[in-house]
Every structure is written in structure tokens, then in C-alpha cells.
């Protein structure tokens, strides 16, 4: 079975577990068909390999691999993808997830996150529409969903220590060595640091439809970076490229309701 078919089957399984109202977009299109179409086109123009699969009954693991070692996405796009994963991570931990989630930092080559099942479709649409078209409506809408600031690296509250993403680090004994990337900042904070009100499903009635339609996708390319990486962007993507854009997401531009 081809990798693309496996990815599409995983999307179908994920969509089947999501809220019923999310299975139709604001413009009337079928959500599953659009998601599969986006994943296919992203792979066809060699933007990357996107996967969305259930992780148990309550969560989903999402990832996007650019396929090329050292082939990073432009900084603005990378920053937006990291904002999405940081926000999703905060909502996921608030929902009770207690496995480690490896964060992302710009520039991004391999991107991944874990979401609540209710967030799987919104996050997938936000990432793929940003990557394929540069559009930010889905991204901006998702970043305004409620989160707990003490868990969100994108929306930190005043005085909050950015959470590293490792529950085992936070709940470890303070007098034990820290082997986490946080360098001890989150070590031994205690289970209380992970406690938060469980966020509800995003308000799908206010969700925008993605800009993408079949055949409209391009790959955002930073020529300067590609020159450093030693690759000609046209050798992989042909004419399906567009220039780099500035990051849209910022804690000020997309301030969510703090769940505490």
C-alpha cells in the first residue's frame, strides 16, 4: 500500500472520531474530501508528507515531514506552524494527556504535535491551508480558541514559565537530575502545574472555510535558504512555488480566552 493511501486511511479514521458538525466546512464542502485532497496535493508538489492519525480514543498525532534533511520552511511560515503546535499542545495537556509532546521551533523541517480529537480537523486545516496557499484565516481562528496560559508557549501569562512539553519532567522529584530540553526550568514543578480546565471543542459554527481548492496549492520557498541548503527549489517543486511571507501569528494578534 502506498504511503499516501495509508495517510488517507488514517485521516478517514480520525474524521470518524471527530464531532459530527466538523464533517462539513463553512462553504458546504465535505471535510474529509477536502483534507484528503490537500494531503494529496501537498505530496504531489513535494511540499511534504502530512499525516493525521488517532492516538487512542481522545487524541490525534499530526505531523508534516518535508522529506529533505536540512530543507527548512521559511522563517515566517515556520513561526506560524510553531504557534499552532504550541497552542494545540496547551489544550491537549489541559484535556488530560500526560505523554511527552516534542515541541517545534523555527525554522521547521519536520513538524508535529498532538491534539485533542476535537482539534484534529481545525489544526490540520490551519496547517495545510497556510502551507498550500499562505492563507491565515483558519490559523487565526484556531489560535483564538481558549487555552490555559501557564501551559501555552504561544500565549504565556504574566510571570508564567513556558512549559517544556514533558509531564514526566514537571512531575519529577525536584532533587533528581533533569535530562529534558528545558534545562531544569520546568523540572519538579509538580502535578499542579499541569492542572487546567478541560477546553471544549472549538466553536465550529464560526470556523472559516480553507482558501485551498484543487490545483491552487504552491510551496513557499525562501531562495536564500535554499541556496544555503544547496538546492534549487524548481528541481523539486517546478513552478508551484511562491515567495516567503511574514509570520502572521503573535500573542497580541490572536489572544484567546484564558481558561486558567
Amino acid at each position: 500500500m502506498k504511503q499516501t493511501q495509508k495517510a488517507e486511511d488514517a485521516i478517514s479514521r480520525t474524521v470518524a472520531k471527530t464531532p459530527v458538525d466538523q464533517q462539513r466546512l463553512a462553504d458546504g464542502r465535505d471535510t474529509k474530501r477536502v483534507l484528503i485532497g490537500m494531503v494529496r496535493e501537498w505530496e504531489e508538489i513535494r511540499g511534504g508528507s502530512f499525516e493525521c492519525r488517532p492516538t487512542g480514543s481522545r487524541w490525534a498525532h499530526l505531523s508534516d515531514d518535508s522529506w529533505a534533511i536540512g530543507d527548512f520552511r521559511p522563517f515566517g511560515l515556520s513561526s506560524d506552524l510553531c504557534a499552532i503546535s504550541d497552542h494545540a499542545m496547551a489544550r491537549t495537556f489541559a484535556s488530560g494527556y500526560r505523554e511527552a509532546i516534542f515541541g517545534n521551533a523555527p525554522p521547521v523541517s519536520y513538524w508535529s504535535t498532538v491534539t485533542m480529537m476535537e482539534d484534529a480537523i481545525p489544526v490540520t486545516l490551519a496547517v495545510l491551508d497556510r502551507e498550500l496557499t499562505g492563507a491565515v484565516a483558519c490559523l487565526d481562528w484556531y489560535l483564538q480558541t481558549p487555552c490555559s496560559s501557564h501551559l501555552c508557549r504561544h500565549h504565556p501569562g504574566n510571570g508564567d514559565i513556558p512549559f517544556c512539553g514533558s509531564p514526566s519532567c514537571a512531575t519529577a522529584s525536584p532533587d533528581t537530575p533533569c535530562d529534558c530540553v528545558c534545562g531544569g526550568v520546568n523540572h519538579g514543578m509538580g502535578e499542579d502545574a499541569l492542572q487546567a480546565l478541560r477546553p471544549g471543542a472549538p466553536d465550529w459554527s464560526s470556523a472559516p472555510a480553507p482558501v485551498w481548492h484543487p490545483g491552487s496549492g504552491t510551496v513557499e520557498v525562501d531562495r536564500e535558504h535554499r541556496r544555503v541548503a544547496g538546492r534549487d527549489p524548481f528541481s523539486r517543486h517546478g513552478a508551484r512555488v511562491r515567495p516567503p511571507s511574514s509570520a502572521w501569528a503573535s500573542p497580541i494578534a490572536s489572544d484567546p480566552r484564558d481558561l486558567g
Side-chain angles (χ1 to χ4, degrees):
M1 182 183 294
K2 293 183 178 180
Q3 188 65 30
T4 304
Q5 186 60 52
K6 291 182 180 179
E8 293 175 7
D9 290 344
I11 287 175
S12 296
R13 293 196 303 272
T14 303
V15 171
K17 293 175 178 286
T18 58
V20 174
D21 62 342
Q22 293 186 7
Q23 297 181 18
R24 185 72 58 178
L25 299 174
D27 58 7
R29 286 181 290 171
D30 180 80
T31 301
K32 184 173 74 172
R33 290 183 180 179
V34 170
L35 290 177
I36 288 176
M38 295 173 97
V39 169
R40 283 179 182 172
E41 189 161 311
W42 189 234
E43 183 165 328
E44 287 170 0
I45 62 178
R46 300 193 64 78
S49 177
F50 192 96
E51 294 188 2
C52 173
R53 55 180 173 79
T55 299
S57 60
R58 296 175 55 191
W59 299 286
H61 180 268
L62 280 58
S63 66
D64 187 21
D65 189 350
S66 67
W67 284 332
I69 296 175
D71 188 5
F72 301 103
R73 294 166 179 80
F75 190 84
L77 172 59
S78 293
S79 297
D80 284 346
L81 297 187
C82 291
I84 296 171
S85 56
D86 286 345
H87 186 67
M89 181 177 75
R91 286 172 55 83
T92 299
F93 282 129
S95 73
Y97 190 81
R98 289 297 180 264
E99 300 295 327
I101 300 177
F102 297 99
N104 305 276
V108 173
S109 177
Y110 176 83
W111 176 90
S112 68
T113 195
V114 177
T115 73
M116 298 166 43
M117 193 61 72
E118 297 92 332
D119 284 11
I121 287 176
V123 171
T124 300
L125 288 171
V127 170
L128 286 174
D129 209 31
R130 178 66 174 89
E131 290 188 315
L132 281 161
T133 72
V136 298
C138 292
L139 175 156
D140 185 61
W141 172 83
Y142 177 69
L143 289 178
Q144 294 182 61
T145 56
C147 72
S148 296
S149 62
H150 67 285
L151 294 176
C152 189
R153 290 186 292 184
H154 184 62
H155 298 111
N158 293 330
D160 285 336
I161 299 173
F163 185 54
C164 65
S166 174
S168 61
C169 179
T171 58
S173 174
D175 58 357
T176 58
C178 178
D179 58 359
C180 175
V181 294
C182 77
V185 174
N186 296 145
H187 197 73
M189 293 170 62
E191 177 65 28
D192 288 347
L194 300 173
Q195 298 303 310
L197 293 175
R198 190 184 192 282
D203 178 13
W204 193 247
S205 66
S206 65
V211 170
W212 177 87
H213 281 80
S216 67
T218 54
V219 179
E220 196 164 301
V221 173
D222 184 338
R223 293 177 180 274
E224 290 302 316
H225 175 76
R226 287 296 178 85
R227 187 175 297 125
V228 172
R231 296 185 178 87
D232 178 356
F234 293 97
S235 67
R236 290 185 62 200
H237 313 302
R240 302 286 292 275
V241 297
R242 66 181 188 274
S245 59
S246 300
W248 169 263
S250 74
I252 297 176
S254 51
D255 189 23
R257 187 173 80 251
D258 188 359
L259 290 174

